[in-house]
Amino acid sequence: GAVVSQHPSRVICKSGTSVKIECRSLDFQATTMFWYRQFPKQSLMLMATSNEGSKATYEQGVEKDKFLINHASLTLSTLTVTSAHPEDSSFYICSATPGTGRTDTQYFGPGTRLTVL
Amino acid sequence: AQSVAQPEDQVNVAEGNPLTVKCTYSVSGNPYLFWYVQYPNRGLQFLLKYITGDNLVKGSYGFEAEFNKSQTSFHLKKPSALVSDSALYFCAVRAPVAYSGAGSYQLTFGKGTKLSVIP
């Protein structure tokens, strides 16, 4: 149980294009989903927290107009990197929690490797 | 603000020997503590968590961790290491129950410790 999927696993795009990454909880309803960014050999940096049906909460320094997050259902959240640039190249990981209590574990997706040329 | 420290960038251990990956934390109140493992180009896999109760927590793949409040530590341990345990390990802390503001569910991660188990 508690499986989270991400699609695509890898994406290469040209500078200036937009890329959408999907995060799905496969066997539970995720009230809350998180989006992280991980640079090589570094820890995960939280980008934003999204609750189903409401606007995402972005961490300081994360451009909400560049990283659009939609959490339209209890099993799906999407991250759209708009007008991507090479510096946006990174490993993006989502996580989801059932949200029934604050002791809940976050379950992580396998990550999406974004390369912007 | 809460923080997590993993003092070792890398830990090397021989297969069959016990392993320890260290983690200390800083948070006001009683923390929620987690260990995750990451294999190359993969997301994080949950290993175990401490919420309350017994200080010794047992998790997946034979791993366990001991919560030590006086030392503010949550070291990950395994009695006998396997080559397949080689991976990147992250310790994480979540705000205690007394904190109910924005970001209540957020995890703060340590920088990670690379574990290499040598055959």
Side-chain angles (χ1 to χ4, degrees):
Chain A
V3 178
V4 176
S5 70
Q6 275 184 248
H7 178 78
S9 58
R10 290 178 176 271
V11 58
I12 300 173
C13 68
K14 293 181 178 180
S15 183
T17 60
S18 294
V19 175
K20 179 184 284 189
I21 303 170
E22 292 185 349
C23 177
R24 294 181 185 272
S25 57
L26 298 184
D27 52 4
F28 66 97
Q29 293 186 327
T31 303
T32 305
M33 287 184 168
F34 303 84
W35 286 96
Y36 295 84
R37 185 172 178 176
Q38 185 180 31
F39 291 100
K41 299 183 178 180
Q42 293 190 28
S43 189
L44 281 73
M45 300 298 295
L46 180 65
M47 298 174 65
T49 302
S50 74
N51 293 297
E52 186 264 339
S54 61
K55 291 183 178 180
T57 302
Y58 290 81
E59 293 301 299
Q60 190 174 6
V62 178
E63 300 176 59
K64 63 180 181 180
D65 293 332
K66 181 171 186 60
F67 298 99
L68 301 179
I69 292 173
N70 184 286
H71 192 165
S73 78
L74 285 172
T75 58
L76 173 64
S77 177
T78 60
L79 168 68
T80 301
V81 183
T82 62
S83 187
H85 289 95
E87 57 266 29
D88 298 324
S89 298
S90 191
F91 195 51
Y92 292 88
I93 305 175
C94 73
S95 72
T97 179
T100 57
R102 293 191 56 241
T103 60
D104 284 329
T105 301
Q106 285 185 29
Y107 296 98
F108 286 79
T112 297
R113 174 76 60 191
L114 171 63
T115 303
V116 185
L117 302 176
Chain B
Q2 62 218 34
S3 65
V4 176
Q6 292 180 243
E8 303 154 316
D9 290 336
Q10 175 144 359
V11 170
N12 299 319
V13 63
E15 186 177 23
N17 283 2
L19 68 87
T20 298
V21 183
K22 296 180 180 178
C23 170
T24 59
Y25 65 90
S26 175
V27 68
S28 299
N30 297 317
Y32 300 143
L33 295 158
F34 301 80
W35 275 102
Y36 287 88
V37 59
Q38 184 180 34
Y39 295 97
N41 295 312
R42 301 292 299 276
L44 274 65
Q45 295 181 26
F46 170 73
L47 281 179
L48 51 81
K49 67 180 178 183
Y50 171 81
I51 302 300
T52 186
D54 194 347
N55 289 344
L56 183 64
V57 179
K58 293 187 182 297
S60 305
Y61 312 120
F63 284 93
E64 59 187 29
E66 186 167 12
F67 171 63
N68 188 317
K69 188 173 183 178
S70 63
Q71 297 185 4
T72 62
S73 67
F74 190 57
H75 301 329
L76 181 70
K77 300 181 180 182
K78 187 173 182 179
S80 179
L82 301 172
V83 173
S84 57
D85 292 331
S86 299
L88 190 57
Y89 290 80
F90 289 98
C91 181
V93 64
R94 179 184 288 162
V97 67
Y99 177 66
S100 58
S104 300
Y105 284 83
Q106 293 176 11
L107 286 174
T108 299
F109 285 88
K111 63 180 181 179
T113 298
K114 183 179 180 181
L115 172 68
S116 294
V117 181
I118 304 163

